[in-house]
Amino acid sequence: MDGLPASVDHDILAHRSIAAIATIRETLGCTVHQAVDVYAQRYEELRRDRPGDFRPGPDGYGR
């Protein structure tokens, strides 16, 4: 997604949703609801385009 800092992708990939949403709000000057929608769209793009870049969550370690 154009216009978002790279830190948003890094936060999404590291499962830091709140940090990503906060950055989206600051960057775009939008509401929480709008930022969550942007987050969801970017998350789906990353899952589609870069599935191997996602770090495992707490349940994924040791498996």
Side-chain angles (χ1 to χ4, degrees), residues 4 7-13 15 18 22 24 26 31 33-34 40-41 44 48 52 54-55 57-58 62-63:
L4 294 177
S7 64
V8 171
D9 286 358
H10 296 298
D11 287 336
I12 292 172
L13 293 171
H15 302 281
I18 294 172
I24 292 167
E26 292 170 12
T31 66
H33 181 80
Q34 292 167 326
Q41 179 182 353
E44 291 302 322
R48 180 189 67 231
F54 280 81
R55 297 180 190 163
R63 290 185 179 191

Side-chain angles (χ1 to χ4, degrees), residues 24-46:
I24 292 167
R25 285 194 71 207
E26 292 170 12
T27 302
L28 301 180
C30 60
T31 66
V32 172
H33 181 80
Q34 292 167 326
V36 169
D37 289 345
V38 170
Y39 172 91
Q41 179 182 353
R42 186 61 187 147
Y43 178 92
E44 291 302 322
E45 291 170 355
L46 289 171

